[in-house]
Short mmCIF file of all heavy atoms in Angstrom, two decimals:
data_model
loop_
_atom_site.label_atom_id
_atom_site.label_comp_id
_atom_site.label_asym_id
_atom_site.label_seq_id
_atom_site.Cartn_x
_atom_site.Cartn_y
_atom_site.Cartn_z
N LYS K 361 19.78 97.43 56.34
CA LYS K 361 19.25 96.68 57.50
C LYS K 361 19.31 97.50 58.76
O LYS K 361 18.37 97.49 59.58
CB LYS K 361 20.06 95.38 57.65
CG LYS K 361 19.70 94.55 58.87
CD LYS K 361 20.56 93.32 58.91
CE LYS K 361 20.29 92.48 60.13
NZ LYS K 361 21.14 91.26 60.22
N TYR K 362 20.39 98.25 58.98
CA TYR K 362 20.57 98.98 60.25
C TYR K 362 20.35 100.47 60.12
O TYR K 362 20.79 101.23 60.98
CB TYR K 362 21.98 98.71 60.77
CG TYR K 362 22.20 97.28 61.22
CD1 TYR K 362 22.98 96.41 60.46
CD2 TYR K 362 21.58 96.80 62.36
CE1 TYR K 362 23.16 95.09 60.86
CE2 TYR K 362 21.74 95.48 62.77
CZ TYR K 362 22.54 94.63 62.00
OH TYR K 362 22.70 93.34 62.40
N VAL K 388 22.92 103.00 62.85
CA VAL K 388 23.41 102.95 64.23
C VAL K 388 24.93 102.80 64.33
O VAL K 388 25.49 102.93 65.40
CB VAL K 388 22.71 101.79 64.99
CG1 VAL K 388 21.24 102.04 65.11
CG2 VAL K 388 23.00 100.45 64.32
N GLY K 389 25.57 102.46 63.22
CA GLY K 389 27.01 102.30 63.26
C GLY K 389 27.41 100.86 63.53
O GLY K 389 26.61 100.01 63.97
N PHE K 390 28.70 100.57 63.30
CA PHE K 390 29.18 99.19 63.43
C PHE K 390 29.28 98.73 64.88
O PHE K 390 28.99 97.59 65.21
CB PHE K 390 30.55 99.04 62.76
CG PHE K 390 30.47 99.03 61.27
CD1 PHE K 390 31.09 100.03 60.52
CD2 PHE K 390 29.77 98.07 60.59
CE1 PHE K 390 31.02 100.03 59.14
CE2 PHE K 390 29.70 98.06 59.22
CZ PHE K 390 30.32 99.04 58.49
N ARG K 391 29.70 99.61 65.75
CA ARG K 391 30.02 99.18 67.12
C ARG K 391 28.80 98.70 67.89
O ARG K 391 28.94 97.93 68.84
CB ARG K 391 30.69 100.31 67.90
CG ARG K 391 32.07 100.61 67.39
CD ARG K 391 32.93 101.25 68.49
NE ARG K 391 34.32 101.32 68.05
CZ ARG K 391 35.21 100.36 68.19
NH1 ARG K 391 34.85 99.25 68.78
NH2 ARG K 391 36.43 100.49 67.74
N GLN K 392 27.63 99.10 67.48
CA GLN K 392 26.42 98.66 68.21
C GLN K 392 25.92 97.32 67.74
O GLN K 392 25.27 96.60 68.51
CB GLN K 392 25.32 99.72 68.07
CG GLN K 392 25.64 101.02 68.79
CD GLN K 392 24.41 101.90 68.86
OE1 GLN K 392 23.30 101.43 68.98
NE2 GLN K 392 24.65 103.21 68.82
N VAL K 393 26.19 96.97 66.48
CA VAL K 393 25.57 95.77 65.94
C VAL K 393 26.50 94.81 65.26
O VAL K 393 26.15 93.65 65.03
CB VAL K 393 24.44 96.15 64.92
CG1 VAL K 393 23.34 96.88 65.61
CG2 VAL K 393 25.04 96.99 63.79
N TYR K 394 27.71 95.25 64.92
CA TYR K 394 28.62 94.38 64.18
C TYR K 394 29.23 93.35 65.14
O TYR K 394 30.00 93.69 66.03
CB TYR K 394 29.71 95.20 63.53
CG TYR K 394 30.56 94.44 62.56
CD1 TYR K 394 30.03 93.45 61.74
CD2 TYR K 394 31.92 94.73 62.41
CE1 TYR K 394 30.81 92.74 60.84
CE2 TYR K 394 32.72 94.04 61.52
CZ TYR K 394 32.15 93.05 60.72
OH TYR K 394 32.92 92.34 59.85
N PRO K 395 28.89 92.08 65.01
CA PRO K 395 29.29 91.07 66.00
C PRO K 395 30.79 90.88 66.14
O PRO K 395 31.27 90.47 67.18
CB PRO K 395 28.61 89.79 65.48
CG PRO K 395 28.38 90.03 64.03
CD PRO K 395 28.12 91.51 63.88
N TYR K 396 31.57 91.16 65.08
CA TYR K 396 33.00 90.90 65.17
C TYR K 396 33.74 92.00 65.88
O TYR K 396 34.91 91.87 66.18
CB TYR K 396 33.58 90.72 63.76
CG TYR K 396 32.90 89.61 63.00
CD1 TYR K 396 31.88 89.91 62.10
CD2 TYR K 396 33.23 88.28 63.21
CE1 TYR K 396 31.22 88.92 61.41
CE2 TYR K 396 32.57 87.27 62.52
CZ TYR K 396 31.58 87.60 61.63
OH TYR K 396 30.94 86.62 60.97
N ILE K 397 33.04 93.13 66.13
CA ILE K 397 33.67 94.25 66.81
C ILE K 397 33.37 94.22 68.31
O ILE K 397 34.26 94.41 69.15
CB ILE K 397 33.20 95.59 66.22
CG1 ILE K 397 33.69 95.70 64.80
CG2 ILE K 397 33.69 96.77 67.05
CD1 ILE K 397 33.25 96.93 64.06
N GLU K 398 32.16 93.90 68.69
CA GLU K 398 31.77 93.92 70.11
C GLU K 398 30.92 92.70 70.42
O GLU K 398 29.72 92.68 70.09
CB GLU K 398 31.03 95.22 70.41
CG GLU K 398 30.94 95.55 71.89
CD GLU K 398 30.46 96.96 72.12
OE1 GLU K 398 30.83 97.85 71.34
OE2 GLU K 398 29.74 97.16 73.09
N GLN K 399 31.48 91.72 71.04
CA GLN K 399 30.81 90.44 71.25
C GLN K 399 29.58 90.59 72.11
O GLN K 399 28.55 89.96 71.87
CB GLN K 399 31.79 89.45 71.89
CG GLN K 399 31.18 88.06 72.13
CD GLN K 399 30.90 87.34 70.83
OE1 GLN K 399 31.39 87.71 69.79
NE2 GLN K 399 30.09 86.31 70.92
N GLU K 400 29.63 91.45 73.16
CA GLU K 400 28.48 91.56 74.05
C GLU K 400 27.26 92.06 73.32
O GLU K 400 26.13 91.59 73.51
CB GLU K 400 28.81 92.52 75.22
CG GLU K 400 29.85 91.97 76.19
CD GLU K 400 31.26 92.08 75.67
OE1 GLU K 400 31.45 92.67 74.58
OE2 GLU K 400 32.17 91.52 76.31
N LYS K 401 27.47 93.07 72.44
CA LYS K 401 26.36 93.59 71.69
C LYS K 401 25.80 92.55 70.73
O LYS K 401 24.61 92.50 70.45
CB LYS K 401 26.79 94.84 70.90
CG LYS K 401 27.13 96.04 71.81
CD LYS K 401 25.87 96.52 72.54
CE LYS K 401 26.18 97.75 73.38
NZ LYS K 401 24.99 98.21 74.09
N TYR K 402 26.69 91.70 70.20
CA TYR K 402 26.23 90.64 69.31
C TYR K 402 25.28 89.70 70.03
O TYR K 402 24.27 89.28 69.47
CB TYR K 402 27.45 89.91 68.76
CG TYR K 402 27.11 88.65 68.02
CD1 TYR K 402 26.35 88.69 66.85
CD2 TYR K 402 27.54 87.40 68.50
CE1 TYR K 402 26.05 87.53 66.17
CE2 TYR K 402 27.22 86.26 67.80
CZ TYR K 402 26.49 86.33 66.65
OH TYR K 402 26.20 85.18 65.97
N LEU K 403 25.61 89.37 71.30
CA LEU K 403 24.75 88.46 72.04
C LEU K 403 23.40 89.09 72.34
O LEU K 403 22.40 88.40 72.52
CB LEU K 403 25.45 88.06 73.36
CG LEU K 403 26.76 87.27 73.18
CD1 LEU K 403 27.40 87.03 74.53
CD2 LEU K 403 26.50 85.96 72.46
N GLU K 404 23.37 90.43 72.43
CA GLU K 404 22.12 91.11 72.73
C GLU K 404 21.33 91.47 71.47
O GLU K 404 20.22 91.94 71.54
CB GLU K 404 22.39 92.40 73.50
CG GLU K 404 23.06 92.15 74.88
CD GLU K 404 23.50 93.45 75.52
OE1 GLU K 404 23.24 94.51 74.94
OE2 GLU K 404 24.07 93.37 76.60
N ASP K 405 21.93 91.26 70.31
CA ASP K 405 21.32 91.66 69.04
C ASP K 405 20.09 90.81 68.78
O ASP K 405 20.13 89.60 68.78
CB ASP K 405 22.32 91.50 67.89
CG ASP K 405 21.80 92.09 66.61
OD1 ASP K 405 20.77 92.77 66.64
OD2 ASP K 405 22.43 91.81 65.54
N ASN K 406 18.96 91.48 68.51
CA ASN K 406 17.71 90.79 68.22
C ASN K 406 17.40 90.77 66.74
O ASN K 406 16.31 90.36 66.34
CB ASN K 406 16.55 91.44 68.99
CG ASN K 406 16.70 91.23 70.48
OD1 ASN K 406 17.11 90.15 70.91
ND2 ASN K 406 16.37 92.24 71.26
N HIS K 407 18.33 91.27 65.88
CA HIS K 407 18.13 91.22 64.44
C HIS K 407 18.57 89.85 63.93
O HIS K 407 19.73 89.54 63.97
CB HIS K 407 18.92 92.33 63.75
CG HIS K 407 18.42 93.71 64.08
ND1 HIS K 407 17.41 94.32 63.39
CD2 HIS K 407 18.81 94.57 65.08
CE1 HIS K 407 17.20 95.53 63.90
NE2 HIS K 407 18.02 95.71 64.93
N PHE K 408 17.64 89.10 63.43
CA PHE K 408 17.94 87.75 62.96
C PHE K 408 17.87 87.60 61.45
O PHE K 408 17.95 86.53 60.92
CB PHE K 408 17.01 86.72 63.60
CG PHE K 408 17.18 86.62 65.10
CD1 PHE K 408 16.28 87.21 65.96
CD2 PHE K 408 18.27 85.95 65.64
CE1 PHE K 408 16.45 87.10 67.33
CE2 PHE K 408 18.45 85.85 67.01
CZ PHE K 408 17.52 86.44 67.85
N GLN K 412 24.18 86.41 58.90
CA GLN K 412 25.21 87.00 59.81
C GLN K 412 26.64 86.69 59.33
O GLN K 412 27.55 86.51 60.13
CB GLN K 412 25.00 86.49 61.25
CG GLN K 412 23.68 86.89 61.87
CD GLN K 412 23.62 88.38 62.18
OE1 GLN K 412 24.62 88.99 62.47
NE2 GLN K 412 22.41 88.93 62.10
N ASP K 433 32.91 104.10 62.04
CA ASP K 433 31.68 104.79 62.44
C ASP K 433 31.78 106.27 62.05
O ASP K 433 32.86 106.86 62.04
CB ASP K 433 31.46 104.64 63.93
CG ASP K 433 31.00 103.24 64.30
OD1 ASP K 433 30.54 102.53 63.40
OD2 ASP K 433 31.09 102.88 65.50
#
Side-chain angles (χ1 to χ4, degrees):
K361 176 180 177 180
Y362 292 108
V388 296
F390 286 118
R391 291 205 170 273
Q392 292 192 33
V393 295
Y394 189 36
Y396 303 98
I397 294 177
E398 197 168 324
Q399 181 68 15
E400 291 78 6
K401 292 295 182 180
Y402 169 64
L403 297 176
E404 297 173 2
D405 187 11
N406 292 321
H407 293 273
F408 294 103
Q412 297 290 328
D433 286 342

